[in-house]
């Protein structure tokens, strides 16, 4: 399958995690590690690698490292999106 389709499916799997808190998708790096075939089962492992508060204290920039892994345990795609997220009322970014 095309890497863009695998990336889109991975983002769909992560949507419940950021729904209601995500404000903007700013950028991402994308690295294709291996092929994905029709019939493969994938899951996404997401690790927060960076959190920065914006000048507006109720928002934060959050970078994650997302690994898309197939049913054989092979990493097929790695991407690192930077998103603007809502913060808590105290000004600390939500995780």
């Amino acid at each position: 399958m095309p890497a863009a389709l695998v990336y889109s499916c991975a983002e769909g799997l992560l949507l419940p995690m950021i729904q209601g808190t995500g404000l903007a998708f700013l950028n991402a790096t994308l690295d294709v590690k291996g092929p994905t075939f029709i019939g493969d089962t994938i899951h996404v492992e997401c690790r927060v690698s960076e959190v920065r508060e914006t000048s507006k204290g109720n928002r934060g920039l959050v970078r994650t490292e997302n690994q898309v892994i197939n049913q054989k345990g092979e990493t097929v795609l790695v991407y690192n999106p930077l998103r603007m997220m809502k913060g808590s009322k105290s000004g600390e970014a939500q995780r």
Side-chain angles (χ1 to χ4, degrees):
M1 284 196 298
L5 182 57
V6 175
Y7 163 77
S8 297
C9 291
E11 281 292 285
L13 291 170
L14 292 175
L15 185 62
M17 180 181 79
I18 62 171
Q19 194 168 11
T21 60
L23 296 173
F25 182 93
L26 302 174
N27 72 14
T29 60
L30 185 99
D31 188 13
V32 179
K33 299 291 189 181
T36 305
F37 301 100
I38 293 173
D40 280 359
T41 301
I42 61 169
H43 73 274
V44 184
E45 293 182 3
C46 179
R47 180 182 70 82
V48 175
S49 58
E50 179 183 359
V51 177
R52 294 184 313 223
E53 196 173 302
T54 62
S55 58
K56 264 191 167 180
N58 62 343
R59 298 175 183 181
L61 300 178
V62 179
R63 184 174 300 278
T64 57
E65 180 179 309
N66 301 341
Q67 293 187 17
V68 181
I69 300 170
N70 67 12
Q71 73 278 5
K72 298 176 187 174
E74 302 165 334
T75 300
V76 294
L77 186 73
V78 175
Y79 66 102
N80 300 292
L82 178 64
R83 303 176 201 273
M84 182 179 293
M85 308 285 281
K86 285 182 186 177
S88 64
K89 291 179 183 176
S90 67
E92 184 179 309
Q94 294 178 350
R95 293 180 189 204

